[in-house]
Amino acid sequence: EVQLLESGGGLVQPGGSLRLSCTASGFAFSTYAMAWVRQAPVKGLEWVAGTSAGGGSSHYADSVKGRFIISRDNSKNTLYLELNRVTAEDTALYYCSRSFTGPRRFWGQGALVTVSS
Amino acid sequence: DIQMTQSPSTLSASVGDRVTITCRASQYISDSLAWYQQKPGRAPKLLISRASNLESGVPSRFSGSGSGTEFTLSISSLQPDDFASYYCQQFNSDPETFGQGTKLEI
């Protein structure tokens, strides 16, 4: 059974940083591209970033480019998202999901990030 | 980015009703469209891929149609478990984008 478990969410001040983790199990993690998708109350679902299976290629939404970094450690079956210089607009539930793009069959339960002073 | 517009935003219906949700793409996306159901506190669940392909385990009362820029999700006979929010997603062009959602309520 495919399982994705996010962690690392919490309250962060504007301009601050946070790192989310997603631990995968039930499939060959190192052979799949992965992505982060977020859901904010006002803006709905938004693809944030994706990375190739080996981690050598990454792409970002314009809204986070230059501030967020997606990475992975295939030896630990773990996907990361580093959030930097956050603003209130980054407040959202962050999901990790299998595949770079396409129909999303597998999602984690989400990690809540709240940006507030 | 391709903009996805869903209508209606809210839909009131009763058990047994047939309902239809529409999703329009701002550009041609062929059949690169998926539909999701989401309940409060849960991740989205994939219902339909490639515009009309029903995912394994999804009840046959759900169906999808369309191609190009206009798509529909239909539920033939609403069941109590179907009251949720529904989202469309295009994956023809990067970045993938989602509709703003339709809340199906009693």
Side-chain angles (χ1 to χ4, degrees):
Chain A
E1 179 191 5
V2 171
Q3 290 194 332
L4 300 168
L5 184 63
E6 299 96 337
S7 60
L11 177 65
V12 57
Q13 292 188 338
S17 299
L18 198 67
R19 188 176 82 160
L20 305 179
S21 301
C22 170
T23 302
S25 61
F27 67 101
F29 179 74
S30 63
T31 67
Y32 284 89
M34 298 290 294
W36 289 94
V37 177
R38 68 183 179 183
Q39 186 169 29
V42 176
K43 295 187 68 177
L45 289 158
E46 179 186 22
W47 178 89
V48 174
T51 185
S52 59
S57 176
S58 299
H59 295 269
Y60 298 91
D62 287 344
S63 58
V64 307
K65 198 173 295 182
R67 299 188 300 120
F68 290 11
I69 300 172
I70 187 172
S71 62
R72 62 192 296 162
D73 185 338
N74 285 345
S75 69
K76 297 181 178 179
N77 286 358
T78 302
L79 177 72
Y80 302 100
L81 184 68
E82 183 178 332
L83 291 68
N84 299 305
R85 302 197 306 276
V86 297
T87 72
E89 292 198 335
D90 297 318
T91 293
L93 189 61
Y94 285 74
Y95 293 103
C96 72
S97 178
R98 197 175 82 174
S99 82
F100 186 89
T101 190
R104 298 196 170 280
R105 292 180 177 83
F106 302 106
W107 303 67
Q109 87 290 349
L112 181 62
V113 174
T114 303
V115 181
S116 176
S117 55
Chain B
D1 297 359
I2 295 177
Q3 185 173 0
M4 305 301 292
T5 303
Q6 282 183 240
S7 60
S9 296
T10 305
L11 181 56
S12 296
S14 301
V15 172
D17 286 353
R18 176 183 177 87
V19 298
T20 298
I21 299 169
T22 297
C23 182
R24 289 187 174 87
S26 61
Q27 300 176 33
Y28 177 83
I29 60 169
S30 184
D31 65 348
S32 301
L33 185 108
W35 289 98
Y36 298 85
Q37 177 192 68
Q38 187 178 34
K39 297 182 178 179
R42 303 292 296 274
K45 174 188 175 182
L46 180 64
L47 299 176
I48 290 172
S49 63
R50 289 289 171 190
S52 61
N53 292 347
L54 197 67
E55 285 294 293
S56 175
V58 175
S60 59
R61 62 181 180 273
F62 290 89
S63 64
S65 66
S67 182
T69 61
E70 187 154 340
F71 303 84
T72 60
L73 171 70
S74 296
I75 311 173
S76 61
S77 178
L78 278 172
Q79 300 301 302
D81 191 51
D82 300 337
F83 292 94
S85 293
Y86 293 84
Y87 296 88
C88 61
Q89 173 214 19
Q90 72 80 20
F91 49 90
N92 189 70
S93 298
D94 291 336
E96 66 188 57
T97 48
F98 295 84
Q100 82 281 8
T102 294
K103 185 176 181 180
L104 179 54
E105 58 184 28
I106 299 175

PDB file of all heavy atoms in Angstrom, chain B residues 36-66:
ATOM      1  N   TYR B  36     -11.551  15.162  -9.037  1.00  0.00           N
ATOM      2  CA  TYR B  36     -11.295  14.716  -7.673  1.00  0.00           C
ATOM      3  C   TYR B  36     -12.493  15.018  -6.787  1.00  0.00           C
ATOM      4  O   TYR B  36     -13.209  16.002  -6.993  1.00  0.00           O
ATOM      5  CB  TYR B  36     -10.076  15.441  -7.080  1.00  0.00           C
ATOM      6  CG  TYR B  36      -8.791  15.188  -7.820  1.00  0.00           C
ATOM      7  CD1 TYR B  36      -8.451  15.952  -8.929  1.00  0.00           C
ATOM      8  CD2 TYR B  36      -7.910  14.192  -7.412  1.00  0.00           C
ATOM      9  CE1 TYR B  36      -7.277  15.723  -9.628  1.00  0.00           C
ATOM     10  CE2 TYR B  36      -6.725  13.953  -8.097  1.00  0.00           C
ATOM     11  CZ  TYR B  36      -6.417  14.719  -9.203  1.00  0.00           C
ATOM     12  OH  TYR B  36      -5.250  14.484  -9.882  1.00  0.00           O
ATOM     13  N   GLN B  37     -12.636  14.178  -5.781  1.00  0.00           N
ATOM     14  CA  GLN B  37     -13.600  14.412  -4.719  1.00  0.00           C
ATOM     15  C   GLN B  37     -12.798  14.677  -3.438  1.00  0.00           C
ATOM     16  O   GLN B  37     -11.815  13.984  -3.161  1.00  0.00           O
ATOM     17  CB  GLN B  37     -14.480  13.172  -4.512  1.00  0.00           C
ATOM     18  CG  GLN B  37     -15.473  13.276  -3.375  1.00  0.00           C
ATOM     19  CD  GLN B  37     -16.087  11.915  -3.047  1.00  0.00           C
ATOM     20  OE1 GLN B  37     -15.419  11.013  -2.549  1.00  0.00           O
ATOM     21  NE2 GLN B  37     -17.373  11.763  -3.321  1.00  0.00           N
ATOM     22  N   GLN B  38     -13.235  15.668  -2.675  1.00  0.00           N
ATOM     23  CA  GLN B  38     -12.558  15.943  -1.408  1.00  0.00           C
ATOM     24  C   GLN B  38     -13.572  16.154  -0.294  1.00  0.00           C
ATOM     25  O   GLN B  38     -14.502  16.935  -0.438  1.00  0.00           O
ATOM     26  CB  GLN B  38     -11.638  17.163  -1.504  1.00  0.00           C
ATOM     27  CG  GLN B  38     -10.789  17.374  -0.261  1.00  0.00           C
ATOM     28  CD  GLN B  38      -9.848  18.540  -0.374  1.00  0.00           C
ATOM     29  OE1 GLN B  38     -10.143  19.546  -1.006  1.00  0.00           O
ATOM     30  NE2 GLN B  38      -8.661  18.427   0.255  1.00  0.00           N
ATOM     31  N   LYS B  39     -13.346  15.460   0.791  1.00  0.00           N
ATOM     32  CA  LYS B  39     -14.170  15.633   1.990  1.00  0.00           C
ATOM     33  C   LYS B  39     -13.365  16.386   3.042  1.00  0.00           C
ATOM     34  O   LYS B  39     -12.139  16.357   3.020  1.00  0.00           O
ATOM     35  CB  LYS B  39     -14.626  14.275   2.496  1.00  0.00           C
ATOM     36  CG  LYS B  39     -15.514  13.556   1.485  1.00  0.00           C
ATOM     37  CD  LYS B  39     -16.013  12.234   1.996  1.00  0.00           C
ATOM     38  CE  LYS B  39     -16.925  11.591   0.950  1.00  0.00           C
ATOM     39  NZ  LYS B  39     -17.436  10.276   1.388  1.00  0.00           N
ATOM     40  N   PRO B  40     -14.054  17.062   3.962  1.00  0.00           N
ATOM     41  CA  PRO B  40     -13.348  17.871   4.973  1.00  0.00           C
ATOM     42  C   PRO B  40     -12.293  17.077   5.721  1.00  0.00           C
ATOM     43  O   PRO B  40     -12.535  15.952   6.155  1.00  0.00           O
ATOM     44  CB  PRO B  40     -14.486  18.311   5.902  1.00  0.00           C
ATOM     45  CG  PRO B  40     -15.690  18.331   5.030  1.00  0.00           C
ATOM     46  CD  PRO B  40     -15.512  17.182   4.086  1.00  0.00           C
ATOM     47  N   GLY B  41     -11.097  17.658   5.817  1.00  0.00           N
ATOM     48  CA  GLY B  41     -10.009  17.028   6.550  1.00  0.00           C
ATOM     49  C   GLY B  41      -9.317  15.894   5.828  1.00  0.00           C
ATOM     50  O   GLY B  41      -8.463  15.221   6.404  1.00  0.00           O
ATOM     51  N   ARG B  42      -9.666  15.693   4.554  1.00  0.00           N
ATOM     52  CA  ARG B  42      -9.072  14.596   3.798  1.00  0.00           C
ATOM     53  C   ARG B  42      -8.385  15.128   2.542  1.00  0.00           C
ATOM     54  O   ARG B  42      -8.711  16.200   2.040  1.00  0.00           O
ATOM     55  CB  ARG B  42     -10.152  13.594   3.385  1.00  0.00           C
ATOM     56  CG  ARG B  42     -10.961  13.008   4.521  1.00  0.00           C
ATOM     57  CD  ARG B  42     -10.128  12.101   5.404  1.00  0.00           C
ATOM     58  NE  ARG B  42      -9.636  10.938   4.704  1.00  0.00           N
ATOM     59  CZ  ARG B  42     -10.314   9.812   4.551  1.00  0.00           C
ATOM     60  NH1 ARG B  42     -11.535   9.696   5.056  1.00  0.00           N
ATOM     61  NH2 ARG B  42      -9.776   8.788   3.912  1.00  0.00           N
ATOM     62  N   ALA B  43      -7.433  14.352   2.030  1.00  0.00           N
ATOM     63  CA  ALA B  43      -6.803  14.697   0.768  1.00  0.00           C
ATOM     64  C   ALA B  43      -7.777  14.447  -0.384  1.00  0.00           C
ATOM     65  O   ALA B  43      -8.711  13.643  -0.253  1.00  0.00           O
ATOM     66  CB  ALA B  43      -5.545  13.867   0.568  1.00  0.00           C
ATOM     67  N   PRO B  44      -7.570  15.111  -1.500  1.00  0.00           N
ATOM     68  CA  PRO B  44      -8.415  14.820  -2.672  1.00  0.00           C
ATOM     69  C   PRO B  44      -8.292  13.359  -3.082  1.00  0.00           C
ATOM     70  O   PRO B  44      -7.229  12.747  -2.942  1.00  0.00           O
ATOM     71  CB  PRO B  44      -7.837  15.744  -3.748  1.00  0.00           C
ATOM     72  CG  PRO B  44      -7.198  16.867  -2.988  1.00  0.00           C
ATOM     73  CD  PRO B  44      -6.638  16.219  -1.764  1.00  0.00           C
ATOM     74  N   LYS B  45      -9.390  12.823  -3.594  1.00  0.00           N
ATOM     75  CA  LYS B  45      -9.431  11.445  -4.087  1.00  0.00           C
ATOM     76  C   LYS B  45      -9.681  11.473  -5.589  1.00  0.00           C
ATOM     77  O   LYS B  45     -10.649  12.099  -6.040  1.00  0.00           O
ATOM     78  CB  LYS B  45     -10.541  10.670  -3.393  1.00  0.00           C
ATOM     79  CG  LYS B  45     -10.766   9.265  -3.951  1.00  0.00           C
ATOM     80  CD  LYS B  45     -12.012   8.632  -3.331  1.00  0.00           C
ATOM     81  CE  LYS B  45     -12.317   7.275  -3.954  1.00  0.00           C
ATOM     82  NZ  LYS B  45     -13.557   6.687  -3.392  1.00  0.00           N
ATOM     83  N   LEU B  46      -8.841  10.816  -6.342  1.00  0.00           N
ATOM     84  CA  LEU B  46      -8.993  10.780  -7.801  1.00  0.00           C
ATOM     85  C   LEU B  46     -10.201   9.937  -8.182  1.00  0.00           C
ATOM     86  O   LEU B  46     -10.303   8.774  -7.804  1.00  0.00           O
ATOM     87  CB  LEU B  46      -7.726  10.215  -8.435  1.00  0.00           C
ATOM     88  CG  LEU B  46      -7.716  10.111  -9.957  1.00  0.00           C
ATOM     89  CD1 LEU B  46      -7.803  11.499 -10.603  1.00  0.00           C
ATOM     90  CD2 LEU B  46      -6.457   9.379 -10.442  1.00  0.00           C
ATOM     91  N   LEU B  47     -11.098  10.536  -8.946  1.00  0.00           N
ATOM     92  CA  LEU B  47     -12.291   9.828  -9.432  1.00  0.00           C
ATOM     93  C   LEU B  47     -12.143   9.419 -10.889  1.00  0.00           C
ATOM     94  O   LEU B  47     -12.481   8.294 -11.272  1.00  0.00           O
ATOM     95  CB  LEU B  47     -13.530  10.724  -9.301  1.00  0.00           C
ATOM     96  CG  LEU B  47     -13.948  11.215  -7.933  1.00  0.00           C
ATOM     97  CD1 LEU B  47     -15.144  12.159  -8.074  1.00  0.00           C
ATOM     98  CD2 LEU B  47     -14.289  10.041  -7.025  1.00  0.00           C
ATOM     99  N   ILE B  48     -11.711  10.377 -11.707  1.00  0.00           N
ATOM    100  CA  ILE B  48     -11.692  10.189 -13.155  1.00  0.00           C
ATOM    101  C   ILE B  48     -10.395  10.761 -13.718  1.00  0.00           C
ATOM    102  O   ILE B  48      -9.990  11.863 -13.334  1.00  0.00           O
ATOM    103  CB  ILE B  48     -12.914  10.877 -13.798  1.00  0.00           C
ATOM    104  CG1 ILE B  48     -14.190  10.114 -13.437  1.00  0.00           C
ATOM    105  CG2 ILE B  48     -12.759  11.018 -15.309  1.00  0.00           C
ATOM    106  CD1 ILE B  48     -15.472  10.803 -13.856  1.00  0.00           C
ATOM    107  N   SER B  49      -9.760  10.019 -14.588  1.00  0.00           N
ATOM    108  CA  SER B  49      -8.570  10.502 -15.292  1.00  0.00           C
ATOM    109  C   SER B  49      -8.860  10.514 -16.786  1.00  0.00           C
ATOM    110  O   SER B  49      -9.798   9.860 -17.263  1.00  0.00           O
ATOM    111  CB  SER B  49      -7.372   9.604 -14.988  1.00  0.00           C
ATOM    112  OG  SER B  49      -7.609   8.287 -15.460  1.00  0.00           O
ATOM    113  N   ARG B  50      -8.050  11.260 -17.527  1.00  0.00           N
ATOM    114  CA  ARG B  50      -8.221  11.343 -18.985  1.00  0.00           C
ATOM    115  C   ARG B  50      -9.682  11.641 -19.358  1.00  0.00           C
ATOM    116  O   ARG B  50     -10.216  11.035 -20.274  1.00  0.00           O
ATOM    117  CB  ARG B  50      -7.730  10.080 -19.674  1.00  0.00           C
ATOM    118  CG  ARG B  50      -6.219   9.942 -19.659  1.00  0.00           C
ATOM    119  CD  ARG B  50      -5.573  10.947 -20.594  1.00  0.00           C
ATOM    120  NE  ARG B  50      -4.118  10.996 -20.456  1.00  0.00           N
ATOM    121  CZ  ARG B  50      -3.360  11.928 -21.016  1.00  0.00           C
ATOM    122  NH1 ARG B  50      -3.900  12.897 -21.733  1.00  0.00           N
ATOM    123  NH2 ARG B  50      -2.057  11.894 -20.851  1.00  0.00           N
ATOM    124  N   ALA B  51     -10.278  12.536 -18.641  1.00  0.00           N
ATOM    125  CA  ALA B  51     -11.611  13.092 -18.905  1.00  0.00           C
ATOM    126  C   ALA B  51     -12.765  12.133 -18.642  1.00  0.00           C
ATOM    127  O   ALA B  51     -13.827  12.555 -18.171  1.00  0.00           O
ATOM    128  CB  ALA B  51     -11.711  13.618 -20.340  1.00  0.00           C
ATOM    129  N   SER B  52     -12.575  10.848 -18.940  1.00  0.00           N
ATOM    130  CA  SER B  52     -13.709   9.923 -18.835  1.00  0.00           C
ATOM    131  C   SER B  52     -13.352   8.555 -18.261  1.00  0.00           C
ATOM    132  O   SER B  52     -14.225   7.690 -18.168  1.00  0.00           O
ATOM    133  CB  SER B  52     -14.359   9.738 -20.207  1.00  0.00           C
ATOM    134  OG  SER B  52     -13.423   9.195 -21.115  1.00  0.00           O
ATOM    135  N   ASN B  53     -12.087   8.354 -17.889  1.00  0.00           N
ATOM    136  CA  ASN B  53     -11.673   7.041 -17.370  1.00  0.00           C
ATOM    137  C   ASN B  53     -11.932   6.949 -15.864  1.00  0.00           C
ATOM    138  O   ASN B  53     -11.264   7.604 -15.064  1.00  0.00           O
ATOM    139  CB  ASN B  53     -10.188   6.814 -17.645  1.00  0.00           C
ATOM    140  CG  ASN B  53      -9.890   6.646 -19.115  1.00  0.00           C
ATOM    141  OD1 ASN B  53     -10.801   6.468 -19.918  1.00  0.00           O
ATOM    142  ND2 ASN B  53      -8.623   6.704 -19.475  1.00  0.00           N
ATOM    143  N   LEU B  54     -12.880   6.104 -15.508  1.00  0.00           N
ATOM    144  CA  LEU B  54     -13.250   5.936 -14.103  1.00  0.00           C
ATOM    145  C   LEU B  54     -12.155   5.154 -13.388  1.00  0.00           C
ATOM    146  O   LEU B  54     -11.736   4.091 -13.862  1.00  0.00           O
ATOM    147  CB  LEU B  54     -14.583   5.207 -14.019  1.00  0.00           C
ATOM    148  CG  LEU B  54     -15.350   5.280 -12.701  1.00  0.00           C
ATOM    149  CD1 LEU B  54     -15.821   6.695 -12.430  1.00  0.00           C
ATOM    150  CD2 LEU B  54     -16.545   4.321 -12.732  1.00  0.00           C
ATOM    151  N   GLU B  55     -11.715   5.667 -12.253  1.00  0.00           N
ATOM    152  CA  GLU B  55     -10.700   4.973 -11.472  1.00  0.00           C
ATOM    153  C   GLU B  55     -11.281   3.706 -10.833  1.00  0.00           C
ATOM    154  O   GLU B  55     -12.483   3.630 -10.535  1.00  0.00           O
ATOM    155  CB  GLU B  55     -10.162   5.879 -10.373  1.00  0.00           C
ATOM    156  CG  GLU B  55      -9.223   6.960 -10.861  1.00  0.00           C
ATOM    157  CD  GLU B  55      -7.914   6.385 -11.417  1.00  0.00           C
ATOM    158  OE1 GLU B  55      -7.143   5.822 -10.629  1.00  0.00           O
ATOM    159  OE2 GLU B  55      -7.696   6.543 -12.631  1.00  0.00           O
ATOM    160  N   SER B  56     -10.414   2.752 -10.651  1.00  0.00           N
ATOM    161  CA  SER B  56     -10.827   1.496 -10.032  1.00  0.00           C
ATOM    162  C   SER B  56     -11.425   1.758  -8.648  1.00  0.00           C
ATOM    163  O   SER B  56     -10.876   2.528  -7.857  1.00  0.00           O
ATOM    164  CB  SER B  56      -9.617   0.565  -9.892  1.00  0.00           C
ATOM    165  OG  SER B  56      -9.959  -0.595  -9.192  1.00  0.00           O
ATOM    166  N   GLY B  57     -12.568   1.149  -8.395  1.00  0.00           N
ATOM    167  CA  GLY B  57     -13.212   1.280  -7.095  1.00  0.00           C
ATOM    168  C   GLY B  57     -14.173   2.443  -6.987  1.00  0.00           C
ATOM    169  O   GLY B  57     -14.911   2.544  -5.993  1.00  0.00           O
ATOM    170  N   VAL B  58     -14.207   3.310  -7.983  1.00  0.00           N
ATOM    171  CA  VAL B  58     -15.129   4.449  -7.961  1.00  0.00           C
ATOM    172  C   VAL B  58     -16.486   3.981  -8.504  1.00  0.00           C
ATOM    173  O   VAL B  58     -16.547   3.343  -9.561  1.00  0.00           O
ATOM    174  CB  VAL B  58     -14.584   5.611  -8.813  1.00  0.00           C
ATOM    175  CG1 VAL B  58     -15.610   6.747  -8.893  1.00  0.00           C
ATOM    176  CG2 VAL B  58     -13.273   6.119  -8.215  1.00  0.00           C
ATOM    177  N   PRO B  59     -17.565   4.293  -7.795  1.00  0.00           N
ATOM    178  CA  PRO B  59     -18.890   3.825  -8.235  1.00  0.00           C
ATOM    179  C   PRO B  59     -19.240   4.280  -9.641  1.00  0.00           C
ATOM    180  O   PRO B  59     -18.878   5.388 -10.057  1.00  0.00           O
ATOM    181  CB  PRO B  59     -19.842   4.445  -7.213  1.00  0.00           C
ATOM    182  CG  PRO B  59     -19.002   4.664  -5.994  1.00  0.00           C
ATOM    183  CD  PRO B  59     -17.632   5.001  -6.514  1.00  0.00           C
ATOM    184  N   SER B  60     -19.968   3.445 -10.362  1.00  0.00           N
ATOM    185  CA  SER B  60     -20.306   3.726 -11.755  1.00  0.00           C
ATOM    186  C   SER B  60     -21.309   4.862 -11.915  1.00  0.00           C
ATOM    187  O   SER B  60     -21.576   5.290 -13.043  1.00  0.00           O
ATOM    188  CB  SER B  60     -20.851   2.463 -12.420  1.00  0.00           C
ATOM    189  OG  SER B  60     -22.003   2.006 -11.725  1.00  0.00           O
ATOM    190  N   ARG B  61     -21.873   5.359 -10.826  1.00  0.00           N
ATOM    191  CA  ARG B  61     -22.769   6.512 -10.932  1.00  0.00           C
ATOM    192  C   ARG B  61     -21.988   7.790 -11.287  1.00  0.00           C
ATOM    193  O   ARG B  61     -22.575   8.784 -11.698  1.00  0.00           O
ATOM    194  CB  ARG B  61     -23.573   6.727  -9.650  1.00  0.00           C
ATOM    195  CG  ARG B  61     -22.756   7.022  -8.414  1.00  0.00           C
ATOM    196  CD  ARG B  61     -23.676   7.198  -7.198  1.00  0.00           C
ATOM    197  NE  ARG B  61     -22.925   7.477  -5.969  1.00  0.00           N
ATOM    198  CZ  ARG B  61     -22.437   6.547  -5.176  1.00  0.00           C
ATOM    199  NH1 ARG B  61     -22.638   5.261  -5.470  1.00  0.00           N
ATOM    200  NH2 ARG B  61     -21.750   6.864  -4.094  1.00  0.00           N
ATOM    201  N   PHE B  62     -20.664   7.739 -11.124  1.00  0.00           N
ATOM    202  CA  PHE B  62     -19.821   8.861 -11.536  1.00  0.00           C
ATOM    203  C   PHE B  62     -19.420   8.671 -13.002  1.00  0.00           C
ATOM    204  O   PHE B  62     -19.042   7.574 -13.414  1.00  0.00           O
ATOM    205  CB  PHE B  62     -18.553   8.942 -10.688  1.00  0.00           C
ATOM    206  CG  PHE B  62     -18.787   9.368  -9.271  1.00  0.00           C
ATOM    207  CD1 PHE B  62     -19.056   8.424  -8.298  1.00  0.00           C
ATOM    208  CD2 PHE B  62     -18.763  10.709  -8.904  1.00  0.00           C
ATOM    209  CE1 PHE B  62     -19.276   8.805  -6.971  1.00  0.00           C
ATOM    210  CE2 PHE B  62     -18.977  11.101  -7.595  1.00  0.00           C
ATOM    211  CZ  PHE B  62     -19.241  10.154  -6.621  1.00  0.00           C
ATOM    212  N   SER B  63     -19.472   9.747 -13.773  1.00  0.00           N
ATOM    213  CA  SER B  63     -19.003   9.680 -15.149  1.00  0.00           C
ATOM    214  C   SER B  63     -18.449  11.035 -15.565  1.00  0.00           C
ATOM    215  O   SER B  63     -18.862  12.077 -15.054  1.00  0.00           O
ATOM    216  CB  SER B  63     -20.123   9.247 -16.098  1.00  0.00           C
ATOM    217  OG  SER B  63     -21.160  10.199 -16.112  1.00  0.00           O
ATOM    218  N   GLY B  64     -17.502  10.996 -16.486  1.00  0.00           N
ATOM    219  CA  GLY B  64     -16.913  12.219 -17.003  1.00  0.00           C
ATOM    220  C   GLY B  64     -16.966  12.228 -18.513  1.00  0.00           C
ATOM    221  O   GLY B  64     -16.942  11.177 -19.158  1.00  0.00           O
ATOM    222  N   SER B  65     -17.042  13.439 -19.061  1.00  0.00           N
ATOM    223  CA  SER B  65     -17.062  13.564 -20.513  1.00  0.00           C
ATOM    224  C   SER B  65     -16.420  14.880 -20.911  1.00  0.00           C
ATOM    225  O   SER B  65     -16.164  15.748 -20.075  1.00  0.00           O
ATOM    226  CB  SER B  65     -18.488  13.484 -21.048  1.00  0.00           C
ATOM    227  OG  SER B  65     -19.241  14.594 -20.603  1.00  0.00           O
ATOM    228  N   GLY B  66     -16.166  14.988 -22.217  1.00  0.00           N
ATOM    229  CA  GLY B  66     -15.624  16.227 -22.752  1.00  0.00           C
ATOM    230  C   GLY B  66     -14.243  16.064 -23.332  1.00  0.00           C
ATOM    231  O   GLY B  66     -13.559  15.057 -23.122  1.00  0.00           O
TER     232      GLY B  66
END
